[in-house]
Amino acid sequence: MFAQFDKQIDEIISKMTLKEKIGQLNQEKAPSGKEEYENLLEMAKRGEVGSVLWASSAYAGAGNEPGINVELMDELQKCAVENSRCKIPVIFGRDVIHGHKTVYPIPLAMACSFNNDLVEKCYRATAKEAANDGIQWSFAPMIDLSRDPRWGRIIEGPGEDPFVGASFAKSAVKGFMGEKLSDKDSVVACAKHYIGYGASEGGRDYHRTEISDYTLYNFYLPAFRAAVNAGVGTVMSSFNDISGQPISSSVHHIREILKEKVGFEGFVVSDWDAVIQLVKQGVARDEKDCAELSLKAGIDLDMKDRAYLTYLEELVKEGIVSEELINDSVKRILRVKFAKNLFENPYRNQVSYDRKEHFALAREIAEETAVLLKNDNVLPLSKTQKIGVIGPFLKEKRDLIGSWTLDGKAEETPSLYEALLNRPEKENIVFADSLEELSGVDTVLLALGEVHTNTGEANAVAKLTLTDDQIELVNRVKSLKKKTIAVIFSGRPLAITRQIPCLDGILYAWHSGNETAPAICNLLFGDKVPSGKLAMTFPRTVGHIPMYYNVTPSGRPVDGYYGENPENCYNDIPASPLYPFGFGLSYTEFSYEDIKCDNKELSLDELKNGKKFNISVKVNNKGDYSAKETVQLYIRDLICLNMRPLRELKAYQKKEIQKGCDETFEFSVGYEELGYYYSDGSFHVEPGEFEIYVGDNCLTENKIVINVKA
Ligand code: NOJ
């Protein structure tokens, strides 16, 4: 897709000086103050600015960022396209992670919707708002697989599963890019952080990782492969090292795997200062070394640290870096600029959109991301019962939109308090500051959660419990012996193990964007039915980490995720998860019939030629509510050369089933679903038996066996 412009690009490159080429490989940060700005204009005229990142600090997602200044951007662009010799446009980027002005749920929550179309619509709407503000390139989606809820950036990605990650990547990339990347309302997407960042030891941001190629290909890479196949224009390399090799200097990971094996034709941008950090990481002597290592590794655009701008010319003249490598990087960057049509249309475009529609979308997805974890006949709330609401998150606004929201506003985010005041049931609600005020109510609603500043970049936590004051509140409310429901606004799975017995209902609301609270009210009062499913396992305690569903079998049954041998793993706590992957309750009850497969045997050749196993299951809605159900299909490859996980999600479908009715869910499982990667990156389906599980979470025992003949 990107190589189609290569002829024109080669022509341009042939006329560029080395300095001008290197200028294209340089990304500047947003200027702070007049002096920096004027300097930037001069640099653009000299052809030294390939791109500008509209953020001014390393922790853009957590700090206060300057707003976008479209006039400055246009003036700067004018210097590049009118006053520089080559007239190559600058590309403007910004972190637009889960919404621009209108904020949608954090990506981990969006993944819990298991609704790919809705996710795509949110990113489409996001692209329009961003494009209208002059942003041509978003540093999203973040698709780092992670098994560690301590990591602050867990909020930014789609959780622990490669298939969910790949689906999310595809939806987000398609949403950002729209019909055509050249359209005015499309934005270049960036798959980040390549690769393994989410595996940092202990959940400590930027720490080292150990990932074998086998694990890389089967777990960490699929989302990036999906992003590339969906046409992503850029990839951001990650800060971490893998087994001692920082990604910023890894020829193996960037050139060999991403560019050659996966076939990525766009460009790779480094993360903030990641090139010069090779000195701190101890693999480069000085910044000149860094520039050499990163360019050779395949990083095309240098984010903010000017190592390329300062040293590449010298390195070429000394014969250390070849000009061909530089040409290749320039070509990749220009491919994206051409695909985005920046040569014809370099300035900010006015894009019209209806903000009301975007808020409606934000509400719809927030309703689908909330996960009902427990319900002992307390939800939905009846319209007439007396409800007392208490808790530190009752009047909170900012935390509800989550971290990494540079342009979202707390003022546009109703608190739970405000949303409840908007309800017809408001006469029956007591907003309490103390327990005494709850004496006359039938049901207590607790507004609990975590602050957004505990999530995002450089914000890991070592504890996964609620804060002490919240734990105490739960215990004190329990002593009132009333029906108690907790709504939990959080960016990560929290180990609420000890609170569960005190609560009759738990609705996990996440940090779900501007419309979190109205959406939660709709769910609480039964206007909408919960349908979110966990995209990440809930551990019972920090000591459970890593706890993820797609574990491989062990020689002795001590694993425990699937309840094999509950006492034999840990002596002090059950080994099974608090809540498994894929889990989420509804107000209705679904029953699954046995799985059907029309052809239980296919040969390997037939599979290679595109034949598939056609699998179906009928799901009956036996309850009193029409509701959506996400049916999940997992496989287990029983015997193969390398150990394979006990379950691997390979498909899911979400559909509305009317009450009293049933729906048939049909899946096809073929070569792609049944295969896996060897350590050398080759893909294989090994003949033999496979178990196929279809159910409502990863623990389902509803299965059949299919056979692939040699
Ligand atoms: C550092 C973060 O790791 C990255 O995700 C972000 O895009 C850049 N800063 C730019 O803000």
Side-chain angles (χ1 to χ4, degrees), residues 53 58 60 95 139 153 192-193 236 239 271-272 404 457:
L53 135 75
D95 291 283
F139 304 129
R153 303 195 79 169
K192 73 185 190 186
H193 306 81
M236 188 184 294
F239 288 120
D271 204 339
W272 185 280
W404 277 110
E457 192 174 348

Side-chain angles (χ1 to χ4, degrees), residues 563-602:
E564 302 90 304
N565 208 350
E567 282 87 44
N568 269 14
C569 184
Y570 298 108
N571 282 359
D572 51 355
I573 198 156
S576 57
L578 186 61
Y579 293 109
F581 176 86
F583 174 81
L585 302 169
S586 172
Y587 293 155
T588 192
E589 211 188 310
F590 297 109
S591 75
Y592 283 63
E593 284 188 4
D594 288 343
I595 308 166
K596 288 206 176 97
C597 180
D598 61 0
N599 46 346
K600 287 202 181 156
E601 210 168 79
L602 286 174

Side-chain angles (χ1 to χ4, degrees), residues 45-147:
K45 287 181 196 161
R46 293 196 297 270
E48 290 176 356
V49 185
S51 169
V52 175
L53 135 75
W54 216 262
S56 63
S57 86
Y59 307 110
N64 280 334
E65 273 302 307
I68 290 158
N69 190 326
V70 176
E71 284 72 38
L72 294 192
M73 284 176 171
D74 275 355
E75 194 184 357
L76 183 64
Q77 188 67 291
K78 198 164 172 221
C79 291
V81 298
E82 289 185 17
N83 305 123
S84 76
R85 201 186 67 88
C86 297
K87 308 198 177 334
I88 300 176
V90 165
I91 181 164
F92 291 101
R94 187 165 172 90
D95 291 283
V96 183
I97 308 295
H98 52 112
H100 180 53
K101 291 194 161 143
T102 313
V103 188
Y104 302 94
I106 53 167
L108 180 59
M110 278 205 232
C112 293
S113 75
F114 281 80
N115 189 333
N116 302 343
D117 292 343
L118 201 50
V119 171
E120 185 179 332
K121 278 190 193 156
C122 292
Y123 278 103
R124 189 81 286 278
T126 300
K128 289 185 182 175
E129 292 188 7
N132 188 53
D133 268 354
I135 299 163
Q136 297 153 339
W137 174 24
S138 166
F139 304 129
M142 191 276 223
I143 46 175
D144 291 316
L145 183 143
S146 182
R147 298 162 173 171

Side-chain angles (χ1 to χ4, degrees), residues 600-618:
K600 287 202 181 156
E601 210 168 79
L602 286 174
S603 72
L604 190 54
D605 278 344
E606 285 174 314
L607 279 176
K608 279 187 183 158
N609 291 329
K611 275 215 158 164
K612 294 183 181 235
F613 293 95
N614 298 315
I615 290 160
S616 65
V617 73
K618 208 193 254 180

